[in-house]
Amino acid sequence: MRKSIARSYEEHGGLLLGSIQNSDHQIVVNVETYIDPGPSARKSTIALYMDYDYQVALLKVVRSFHPDVHYIGIWHSHHSNGATYLSAEDIRYFQDIVQDDQYKLDNFLALLVTERDFSYPSAFMFYKDRSDYDEIEVNHKVIRDCNFPMEDLLVKLEDLAIVRWK
Ligand SMILES: [Zn+2]
């Protein structure tokens, strides 16, 4: 995420893959990796429309090897426009996803990066069957370096797709 923002003056983002465990007292989120916006994504300094067909195709590949890994959310950046909050469009879009019957999990995580130097992204939790959402406290987040087993393959597929579609 840090690298892709550093070299871009447009909004960037991707599908977050990992797991969300929801018990009575806590929600444990584990983000393993993300899928790029895709070769046909439309980007500007104020908007990002991801290439969903491409992302779903890659998601299927990942899940065929790691069925325990799910599409759990979206990250995107406002580093190109400085907005430190989710837009009304963002909120509506995330609500639509988590309420969709095809989305099977009870929670949906939205990470928002607002600064080019990355620091910590803001994190928001959306819920199935609820119209509100929560901002998650920064001090509840743990960021650690780890390598998802398919990371190298994902990077290669993304490079390949960009070469092919351009
Ligand atoms: Zn946004």
Side-chain angles (χ1 to χ4, degrees):
M1 291 161 71
R2 187 182 288 119
K3 278 184 212 155
S4 57
I5 287 168
R7 62 177 179 236
S8 171
Y9 289 90
E10 296 169 322
E11 285 199 12
H12 199 75
L15 298 194
L16 298 172
L17 308 189
S19 60
I20 296 183
Q21 268 113 38
N22 198 335
S23 70
D24 290 345
H25 304 293
Q26 62 177 357
I27 299 169
V28 178
V29 180
N30 189 17
V31 179
E32 295 279 0
T33 188
Y34 78 88
I35 294 176
D36 265 6
S40 301
R42 287 178 294 131
K43 295 190 252 176
S44 75
T45 56
I46 54 162
L48 167 67
Y49 300 98
M50 298 197 275
D51 181 350
Y52 200 64
D53 290 343
Y54 162 86
Q55 290 176 317
V56 167
L58 275 200
L59 178 62
K60 279 183 184 159
V61 174
V62 172
R63 284 187 38 82
S64 69
F65 290 97
H66 297 274
D68 50 326
V69 167
H70 300 272
Y71 163 39
I72 58 164
I74 282 179
W75 80 273
H76 80 293
S77 72
H78 285 174
H79 74 287
S80 52
N81 53 55
T84 56
Y85 45 83
L86 294 176
S87 70
E89 241 179 276
D90 289 334
I91 294 165
R92 206 175 313 121
Y93 184 61
F94 300 145
Q95 285 288 9
D96 284 351
I97 294 170
V98 72
Q99 307 305 346
D100 194 304
D101 289 342
Q102 299 226 1
Y103 188 82
K104 304 292 182 198
L105 305 176
D106 291 330
N107 304 91
F108 182 88
L109 176 70
L111 296 182
L112 177 65
V113 177
T114 56
E115 293 168 47
R116 183 171 292 280
D117 73 355
F118 190 76
S119 63
Y120 284 96
S122 304
F124 304 88
M125 188 61 74
F126 290 77
Y127 309 90
K128 211 163 197 75
D129 305 322
R130 267 175 62 177
S131 58
D132 59 340
Y133 63 93
D134 291 321
E135 178 160 10
I136 302 170
E137 292 293 326
V138 170
N139 59 7
H140 289 179
K141 289 187 301 236
V142 179
I143 296 181
R144 62 191 161 85
D145 281 330
C146 55
N147 237 335
F148 183 59
M150 291 187 72
E151 202 62 56
D152 292 344
L153 178 66
L154 272 177
V155 170
K156 285 197 179 82
L157 286 172
E158 285 158 0
D159 290 347
L160 200 68
I162 286 165
V163 170
R164 226 187 104 193
W165 265 279
K166 258 185 182 165

